[in-house]
Amino acid sequence: MVAKSQRIRLHFMVALTLVVMLFGATKALRSYRDRKDQQTYQLARDKLHDYVRRAPGQEQEQIEKVVKEEHGRIRRDAAALLAQTQYLVKHPPRRGPQSKARQARLFENIRRNFERVKASKPAIFPTGVAFLRAARSGADDSFSPYSICLPHSYSAGLAYPLVVRLPKAGYVPFANDPGVECFEGAITIRPQGKAIGVGSPVTESEALAALEEVKLLYSVDPERVYLVGPLLDSRELWRLAAHHPDLFAGVVALESGGGRPGATDYRQLEVGPSYRELVEFLTASSDPLSYVENLEHCAVIIAHVLAPDPRANAATRAFVRRLREVGGQVEYFELPRSEDAKLPQWIEQYALGKVFSAASAAPPPHFQFKTASPRYGQAWWLRIDARDNPVRFARAEADSSGGRVQIRTDNVSALTVLPERMESPAKVVSVDGVEFKGPGLQLEKWEGKWRPVASKGLRKHMGCCGPVDDVFQDPFLIVFGSSGESDLLSDVCEAEARGFADKWEKRYGYRPPVKKDKDVSPDERRHFNLALFGGPEANSISAAVMPALPIRIERDAIAVGGRRYEGKDLGIIMCYPSPFDKDHMVALIAGSTPAAQYQAWDRFGSLGEVAGPARSKWFDYAVFDGICVGLETFPQVGFFDNHWGAQAEGAGPAGGGATWRRPPPGPPLPPAPPSDYQRT
């Protein structure tokens, strides 16, 4: 019995020992597995981090190559993938493996689409979710990103309304989530832009580029395009609406903090009588109130919380009142200020719903159109090509009812009727009471009388009309002189050119191409606007352009329109049609000495500052010298006539010219009486 009990104890002890050994082995194995899992997880996390950190940058170079080499839909899809990759590169994931894993999934989608693009297949993008695309900007030939959202039910067989949503002023591209609101039953885009929020014309080019690309890629109803944006200092919103009234069926302007349609006040400078008309025009041309009649056929809704500044509220009310006077369709909501100063959500929902149901933007039988520049001179089936007086607005009132076209003009010296844009082209066109036959007509006013265009040679037209600032609204190439005898002048030309490019990149996020004059190819001369730093003595391309220009630059003199200016440190800033291609332009920034060339552009307005009277190149040409600081101090400044001539006096038979000259110095001041200090 005792032996049996001992055997039981022995077996129990052996079993317990085995259990303990098994538990220890299991624990050791689990610990080993945990260490292995931890190592594997750490390795996977490190690989994920390395992948997310390096892969997008490496892939970006390959995508950029495809963007440069391909064309059509494949190129556009590659540009979209490039914008998405750049976003990932500029926005590294937050801490934690989940954020990195999400970033990796986004990049894997880009890679899969890129494989399709390389195989000449279109990329596949989602519906119901916002994503990034990029359109080639007409301003500087770079690709500008924009957000887009297609409805869940998108089908290529249907025509969808398009909502163009502008971000708020001060928006920094890529600083926020690149998404945009999605509407079921409509396509929505938001141009990211490089300069949105600063009132730059480049913004307009980018928004139009995005709009036109979406029309090409997706099924859009061109008569149901709507513009939505902020009201406060909203140059972008009203510039787009007023310059292109035939593009938009409706406009919604919303502002939580209160505000007004913005304008630049050029009248802040004290100027003499001869400059007052110019200053008034420059101020009015930047004010949306000047273009109200263009919005007659556009449904407009404005809603804002009252601003603390009563002047801002008064300006908005004046805009609404004037729009109603011209017969515009406008609803206006003015809400008292609250603690959060925010618009109620129902206001935006109501405004969008009301405008989306607005009538289409089909060509109306009767319309008015007003413009300050031929660059923005086209609406519906009429294009204003030139003005009599460059510092007055051009106006046209057109009617196509009854099988006849009747046009009445004010300050218009050339126009074109576009029959392909009319619903039923008329056979007879009457302009200011003078009748012409033919469905499509290009007319000019010569010595005050209308006639079909008969004059030969250069003519100002859309895209080639000046002023100097317009040269930089199309793809351009910066060229600095390196051919002069003076090394110092060549060095100054290069420094000025690269400094200009630095400022452009700082403001717009894209560096324009900069080349030495000797390195510019014949192809580049023909296909770019050229910004030439250095006169004929320093820049070989400036020397090649010089025979075609209506000015002469010598070592110590500049001749313009029959007048000759002599002295030290003379220079000129001007624009002119390119002799290499009539549809492109050149801008010449030339000084006769290194001192004149030094800061020639920045002395009369800096690219990186807000536009103003001394900040913009509002002229076709300006002669400067060592004592010139802009505006009234230019020896001569003005606009070429409509045939790019520099008339000695007046504008010639074609109209369009204007000249201002520095007033002659007055009599010397009498000597000041001696001061007490001088007496002692």
Side-chain angles (χ1 to χ4, degrees), residues 93-264:
R94 298 175 182 176
R95 293 182 179 180
Q98 290 184 346
S99 177
K100 291 184 175 66
R102 177 181 177 275
Q103 199 90 335
R105 286 195 301 272
L106 293 174
F107 182 63
E108 279 302 315
N109 289 335
I110 295 173
R111 291 196 67 169
R112 282 195 292 269
N113 267 328
F114 188 40
E115 292 301 321
R116 292 182 59 84
V117 166
K118 287 190 290 186
S120 298
K121 298 178 180 178
I124 299 175
F125 296 110
T127 59
V129 178
F131 60 93
L132 281 174
R133 294 199 69 104
R136 182 174 289 279
S137 170
D140 54 18
D141 211 30
S142 65
F143 280 91
S144 301
Y146 63 92
S147 303
I148 179 170
C149 184
L150 304 173
H152 275 294
S153 59
Y154 176 77
S155 169
L158 301 175
Y160 291 83
L162 174 63
V163 180
V164 181
R165 185 127 199 181
L166 298 183
K168 291 185 177 180
Y171 173 83
V172 179
F174 283 150
N176 303 315
D177 180 48
V180 64
E181 296 89 342
C182 298
F183 298 104
E184 191 55 42
I187 300 172
T188 316
I189 64 172
R190 183 177 72 186
Q192 301 282 352
K194 297 185 288 293
I196 283 183
V198 298
S200 166
V202 175
T203 302
E204 183 174 343
S205 299
E206 292 166 349
L208 292 176
L211 192 156
E212 292 305 314
E213 179 174 276
V214 171
K215 286 182 178 179
L216 285 173
L217 294 175
Y218 301 104
S219 182
V220 173
D221 184 348
E223 296 182 358
R224 291 191 295 162
V225 179
Y226 308 101
L227 187 60
V228 181
L231 173 66
L232 181 61
D233 199 25
S234 51
R235 293 185 184 90
E236 289 85 2
L237 179 76
W238 299 114
R239 190 200 316 269
L240 275 168
H243 287 173
H244 310 279
D246 52 342
L247 291 182
F248 303 105
V251 178
V252 176
L254 304 170
E255 187 61 55
S256 293
R260 65 181 179 88
T264 300

Side-chain angles (χ1 to χ4, degrees), residues 68-89:
K68 293 176 182 177
E69 294 176 353
E70 292 294 334
H71 300 278
R73 177 62 184 261
I74 299 303
R75 182 180 192 174
R76 295 178 187 277
D77 283 355
L81 300 179
L82 179 61
Q84 295 171 21
T85 306
Q86 289 173 338
Y87 177 77
L88 295 184
V89 170

Side-chain angles (χ1 to χ4, degrees), residues 213-353:
E213 179 174 276
V214 171
K215 286 182 178 179
L216 285 173
L217 294 175
Y218 301 104
S219 182
V220 173
D221 184 348
E223 296 182 358
R224 291 191 295 162
V225 179
Y226 308 101
L227 187 60
V228 181
L231 173 66
L232 181 61
D233 199 25
S234 51
R235 293 185 184 90
E236 289 85 2
L237 179 76
W238 299 114
R239 190 200 316 269
L240 275 168
H243 287 173
H244 310 279
D246 52 342
L247 291 182
F248 303 105
V251 178
V252 176
L254 304 170
E255 187 61 55
S256 293
R260 65 181 179 88
T264 300
D265 190 358
Y266 288 74
R267 296 168 296 187
Q268 57 187 305
L269 294 185
E270 295 183 4
V271 296
S274 61
Y275 283 84
R276 284 175 187 161
E277 182 186 15
L278 167 67
V279 167
E280 291 287 344
F281 171 74
L282 293 175
T283 300
S285 65
S286 71
D287 190 344
L289 189 62
S290 300
Y291 306 94
V292 166
E293 50 262 65
N294 294 1
L295 303 175
E296 176 186 359
H297 300 285
C298 184
V300 176
I301 294 183
I302 297 175
H304 74 110
V305 174
L306 285 172
D309 185 355
R311 292 173 298 177
N313 302 322
T316 307
R317 292 166 188 161
F319 182 83
V320 172
R321 184 168 57 250
R322 176 62 183 146
L323 186 53
R324 286 173 176 162
E325 287 174 359
V326 300
Q329 312 165 52
V330 58
E331 285 193 58
Y332 179 52
F333 295 91
E334 190 178 86
L335 282 77
R337 291 187 64 80
S338 57
E339 290 185 5
D340 57 3
K342 289 185 178 180
L343 285 173
Q345 190 174 3
W346 68 265
I347 285 280
E348 180 170 352
Q349 294 173 344
Y350 169 80
L352 293 175

Side-chain angles (χ1 to χ4, degrees), residues 385 412-417 429-437 440-459 643 653-655:
D385 296 319
V412 177
S413 53
L415 60 83
T416 302
V417 177
V429 175
S430 172
V431 181
D432 295 332
V434 182
E435 290 192 352
F436 301 91
K437 292 184 178 181
L441 291 171
Q442 193 171 10
L443 306 173
E444 65 179 352
K445 189 184 290 183
W446 192 262
E447 295 182 340
K449 297 180 180 180
W450 285 103
R451 69 177 191 182
V453 169
S455 54
K456 305 295 182 183
L458 294 174
R459 298 175 63 251
H643 284 246

Side-chain angles (χ1 to χ4, degrees), residues 479-487 489-491 493 516-519 533-543:
V479 183
F480 62 86
S482 64
S483 307
E485 297 177 0
S486 166
D487 290 340
L489 182 56
S490 296
D491 290 344
C493 289
K516 187 186 298 185
D517 54 352
K518 297 176 181 177
D519 297 336
F533 283 81
E537 291 184 357
N539 193 317
S540 59
I541 297 185
S542 298

